[in-house]
Structure formats: C-alpha cells, structure tokens
Amino acid sequence: MAKEVNTGMDKHEMRVLLKKSKQEPISCAIGLGQDPAFGLLLLDRIKGPRAVEAALIKQMPDARNIRFGRAEVDEAEDEKLVKIYINKAVSSMARKLVKTLKGTGFTKVHLLLEDGTPVETYAEEEDAAFAAEAAPTAAAAPAPSGSAPPAPPPPAAANDTGTADAATLKARLAALVPLVAQVADPDHKAELNKMARLAIINLQTGNAAYAATSIEQLERGLAATGHAWSPAAPATPAATPAATPAASSPADGAAVRLAKGMMLWNAMRTQLDHGIAALQQAIIEQSEDEPDHDDIKRNVGRLSVVLERLDGRLSDKLNALRGSTDPAQKQQLSEEARAIVHDYQEYVEFDPLMADIDDNGFLPLDVRAKADASLKAILATI
C-alpha cells in the first residue's frame, strides 16, 4: 500500500474547512514539500494568514515556495472550485494542489493574487462526455464521412487580454468537436479528447486565456491528423496571450502594463506546464510495450527541468515592481526584471531540451516559439 503523502493536514479536516469557507473565506498557506508532485495546504478559521504560514513552516521546516492568503469556495459559481488568494505569484502550483485535494470533493484550484489578478488554474479531468458539455447539438453525432465540417463562428473582438470572449471560444470548440469524432487513430483521438476536456474545464472556471490555449492546441492536433480547416475558413479567434500578446497603449498606466505582463508570463508558464504534463503522459502511455518502460517512466520527469529553469524569479520581480512607489527602486527593479527576461530568452533559444520538447514525436507542441513570443511581449510591459 502506497504511503500517504504529508500535505500539511488531514484530508477530512481539509474538506470540513473548505466547506465552511463557503460562508466566509478562511486563512491558508501553501507551498511545496518533499514530494514535488503534491502541494502543501494548511487551512485555519481562527489564525491570520501570516500565522498560518508560520505554522506551516514549523510543521514542515523543509517547505519551499511558501505563500499565504485566504481560501474560499463560492458554491453559486462552482461548488468544486477552490479559489486561493496569495500574497505573491508562484508557478506550477495549481496542479499540485488539485492532487492534494483529491478525495475531498474539490477538483479545481484557481490561484489569484490578493488584488484578484489571476495566476493559474488547474482542474482534474472528469470522465463525463465532453461533447455534450461543449456543444450539445454540434457534437451529438459525428459528421458524415466526406462531408464538410461546420463553419466556425466569425471572430469576436478580443478583450483587454487579447483573448476572445468565453462565448466565442465555446462556439469555436463546438465547431471542432465533430472533427475529433472523425479521427480514426484511437491514440490521437484520446489525446484530442484530453485537449477538448481541458478547454471545457478552463471555460467552466472562468479562464478564457487558458481555454484559448487548449483550443489552439486542439486545432493544431487536428491539423496533424489531417482534419484541419480549409484555407478559406475564418481565422481562429482563440489566439493565446503568448501567440498574440495584447499591445499596451500609451494611455495605459505602468501598473496596468505590469499587470498585463504578469498575466502573460503566468499564462505562458501554465501553458508550458500543461504541455509538458501532457507530453509526459503520452510518452508513458505510448511506451508501455517497450522493454525499458520502467526506465522511461523514471526519466520522463527530466522534462520538468524546463519549468525549474523558467522559474518564479520574474513573477516575484514583477510583483515587487508593481508594489514599489520609489522611482529609483522601480528603475532598479525594472532593470533586474529585464535581465531575468534576457536570461530566459537565452535559455529558450539555445537549450537543446526546448527543441527536443517541440520535436518529440508524440504530441504537436511549439513551446519554444510561444515562450519566445511571450518574453518579447513582456519586455514591452516592463
């Protein structure tokens, strides 16, 4: 029997406190412990956030990437979604916290800064048929063989993050669902189903930017199987922040530009995290019959080195820059943030692992181009 991972508190107590957070937000602290696959989560109705942080540090002296804040569940919005407001951004944590919450009845985590700026979202994949959720009419049955796919909806005006609105994204997804049903290869179809489910989850949790990323990946995956839209079809509105960053107008204040930069960077890292996780799973699943399958499973974790290298330094620096009011300090922080971006750009361009991830032979990914586009756009916001 597998040893239970210590994630900060008993799951029963965790579930009870999260249910109570439906009436009033509760203090919390999160972080990483000895097992990097799980997040640490400590909740308390009485103590303040900093006291909960101190309690987590005392309980887990080796904990790292600790953040404090408040947690709440808005039953009217989504009874399975836990919103966690934290004092500063942290990367690749939402997915780990979803694993921590497994067995509590809560399957989705949305991390935000104290001012409501989104950091990242992750939700456990559900087994329910995604077709009915995405488009009850369009996905009711596969399109007849040889028939033309339904025309996608016309592009809608993008919002202030450069992403189409949720209604347009859902309509685009509905137009793509019948094409997934036409894919003959079961492995490709399964992977496309995952992409579609992830898009639905992000739409359900209010993350249009991440939904747009999943839909774009779905379109590229369909194209790789020969089910792309014809050249005459309208261009997809589901452009990701990394692919088509929103330009900052001269009228935008520095704080607004920085907020856009933070959202852009966090969205890119979440997209990268999802892509690497999907690639790791695909490698493991498709190598089951290989004699060295156990070695492959052990070594596939090295792909996450990319996320460790493109770390949380930039988020921390941008967060500090947003909070600074001293002109000299702001200038210094801006220069430091630019230096971090240049360091990331050099890694993205020259590290062979970035190229290996794109040229992986399992999934269609283009993480290098998207990371490069995001970093260039972020420089314009600093």
Side-chain angles (χ1 to χ4, degrees), residues 81-82 84 94 97-98 101 107-111 120-123:
L81 171 65
V82 180
I84 301 178
L97 289 171
V98 167
L101 290 169
T107 60
K108 308 169 188 178
V109 168
H110 187 16
L111 293 178
E120 63 178 8
T121 293
Y122 193 80

Side-chain angles (χ1 to χ4, degrees), residues 325-346:
T325 56
D326 179 74
Q329 184 186 47
K330 288 175 75 72
Q331 179 64 29
Q332 178 65 28
L333 289 170
S334 179
E335 291 174 1
E336 292 172 358
R338 285 178 171 274
I340 294 172
V341 172
H342 291 315
D343 177 51
Y344 289 165
Q345 286 178 314
E346 183 176 356

Side-chain angles (χ1 to χ4, degrees), residues 92 119-121 210 265-275:
S92 305
V119 176
E120 63 178 8
T121 293
Y210 301 151
W265 177 242
N266 291 329
M268 193 286 293
R269 288 199 83 262
T270 300
Q271 177 186 348
L272 183 60
D273 187 17
H274 289 171

Side-chain angles (χ1 to χ4, degrees), residues 5-9 28-42 52-53 55-68 84 86 88-100 109 111 120 269 273 304 307-312:
V5 177
N6 182 2
T7 57
M9 64 189 307
C28 72
I30 62 174
L32 291 177
Q34 292 184 346
D35 191 330
F38 293 83
L40 301 176
L41 176 61
L42 187 60
V52 179
E53 177 194 34
L56 180 60
I57 294 173
K58 182 177 180 181
Q59 178 184 340
M60 312 281 285
D62 296 331
R64 58 192 189 281
N65 290 354
I66 297 177
R67 303 290 189 267
F68 62 85
I84 301 178
I86 49 180
K88 62 179 180 177
V90 64
S91 303
S92 305
M93 183 69 79
R95 180 159 60 98
K96 296 175 174 61
L97 289 171
V98 167
K99 292 191 70 173
T100 297
V109 168
L111 293 178
E120 63 178 8
R269 288 199 83 262
D273 187 17
S304 296
L307 290 167
E308 296 174 8
R309 184 61 178 77
L310 299 175
D311 53 20

